[in-house]
Amino acid sequence: MVAELDLSDAEVDRIFRALADATRRDIVERVLTGEQSVSALADRYDMSFAAVQKHVAVLERAGLVTKQNRGRERLVRGNPDAIRRVQALLDRYERLWRARIDRLDALLAEPPHPSPSAPEQE
Amino acid sequence: MVAELDLSDAEVDRIFRALADATRRDIVERVLTGEQSVSALADRYDMSFAAVQKHVAVLERAGLVTKQNRGRERLVRGNPDAIRRVQALLDRYERLWRARIDRLDALLAEPPHPSPSAPEQE
DNA sequence: TTAACGTACAACCAAATGGTTGCAGAACTT
DNA sequence: AAGTTCTGCAACCATTTGGTTGTACGTTAA
């Protein structure tokens, strides 16, 4: 589990995997801007309806989009919460990096330290 | 190309794909905190050295980590620039979403609009 | 010099991915 | 009632992924 985010490893896997395809990222952009039916999306890409349908399913399993029934159509819309959760995860990476830099800075700022015992090196 | 980021689709693919694996995310965390040799990393996981080596190669191809030679060792370190580039991409998605919400708000705020001509629809 | 260590890479394998076509069902239209 | 539209799903296929073992080579230590 990614502690502060309440997301399992498998969920994070699915989110990143879903975003690792240009067609799917494009779909996310479109449906964040405005909901669209699956066939309206399919018209935009040079592949079969079934292929687009699969892409939408991948995004749905990752929680990046949701579907809502309207008559015979399925309206796909973006889920901004999922986006924010990924952002939070990347923020964590940046914080780790900054913490490291801070530690290095602190070391350099220290006066030449004549520690008598050998430094623990793990 | 993702305009404002100077990243090709293929590069973004590689970055997200690289992050879509728990072992690789763990490696990124470790080497953002402090550089480590490939074998030091391999000791941490319940898989062969070669498997960890492959994971590091995936991260390297994605630009998330870099390697530096030191004697017979290869020191792996995190590349915070790549992290920031992904953050920028997700920011773009969030801005799209906010722009949509703003548009919807504007519509609701409008007085009942008796437009004489049919509204342009696509 | 020999032995051990750290790495790279090839070959192999099972499973997942990303595409296809085809068929069937639900929901509109005429 | 019949036809069209939108969707879902199964079956199939080529490629990629994520793991393995084995071999080879440069570097450090005895």
Side-chain angles (χ1 to χ4, degrees):
Chain A
M1 285 285 251
V2 180
E4 57 209 302
L5 292 175
D6 191 31
L7 285 173
S8 71
D9 279 345
E11 287 172 305
V12 180
D13 285 3
R14 279 194 289 271
I15 292 175
F16 279 122
R17 185 143 241 326
L19 290 172
D21 179 282
T23 301
R24 287 197 292 263
R25 286 193 300 275
D26 198 72
I27 292 176
V28 167
E29 290 202 15
R30 288 186 191 281
V31 300
L32 278 174
T33 301
E35 60 191 9
Q36 309 213 9
S37 72
V38 181
S39 53
L41 286 170
D43 287 342
R44 305 284 187 166
Y45 306 102
D46 185 28
M47 65 184 77
S48 69
F49 172 85
V52 174
Q53 204 184 17
K54 278 191 181 183
H55 282 308
V56 172
V58 169
L59 290 169
E60 199 181 7
R61 258 178 271 129
L64 286 165
V65 307
T66 58
K67 274 198 283 190
Q68 189 192 357
N69 292 13
R70 190 181 63 186
R72 61 184 160 187
E73 292 184 326
R74 304 289 179 270
L75 296 184
V76 183
R77 66 178 59 178
N79 176 13
D81 281 351
I83 307 287
R84 288 192 206 103
R85 265 175 279 152
V86 191
Q87 285 180 314
L89 211 167
L90 294 172
D91 277 346
R92 173 195 161 88
Y93 291 160
E94 257 231 324
R95 282 198 304 277
L96 283 172
W97 174 257
R98 280 201 300 270
R100 179 204 181 181
I101 297 303
D102 289 349
R103 273 184 287 111
L104 291 177
D105 285 352
L107 270 179
L108 290 176
E110 258 179 31
H113 214 286
S115 62
S117 58
E120 295 293 339
Q121 188 70 27
E122 161 63 5
Chain B
M1 287 284 252
V2 179
E4 57 209 304
L5 293 175
D6 190 33
L7 285 174
S8 70
D9 279 346
E11 288 173 304
V12 180
D13 284 4
R14 279 193 289 270
I15 292 174
F16 279 122
R17 190 158 249 317
L19 290 173
D21 178 281
T23 301
R24 288 197 290 264
R25 285 193 301 275
D26 198 73
I27 291 176
V28 167
E29 290 202 14
R30 287 186 191 282
V31 301
L32 278 174
T33 302
E35 60 189 9
Q36 309 212 10
S37 71
V38 181
S39 54
L41 286 170
D43 287 342
R44 305 283 186 167
Y45 305 103
D46 186 26
M47 64 183 78
S48 69
F49 172 84
V52 174
Q53 204 183 17
K54 277 190 180 183
H55 282 308
V56 171
V58 170
L59 290 168
E60 199 180 8
R61 258 179 271 128
L64 287 165
V65 307
T66 58
K67 275 198 284 188
Q68 188 191 0
N69 292 12
R70 191 181 62 186
R72 61 184 161 187
E73 292 183 324
R74 304 287 181 271
L75 295 184
V76 184
R77 66 179 58 179
N79 176 13
D81 280 351
I83 306 288
R84 287 192 206 104
R85 265 176 280 152
V86 190
Q87 284 181 314
L89 211 166
L90 294 172
D91 277 345
R92 174 195 162 88
Y93 291 159
E94 257 233 324
R95 282 198 303 279
L96 283 171
W97 175 257
R98 280 201 300 270
R100 179 205 181 179
I101 297 302
D102 289 349
R103 272 184 289 110
L104 291 177
D105 285 352
L107 269 179
L108 290 176
E110 256 179 34
H113 212 289
S115 63
S117 60
E120 296 292 337
Q121 187 69 27
E122 155 66 6

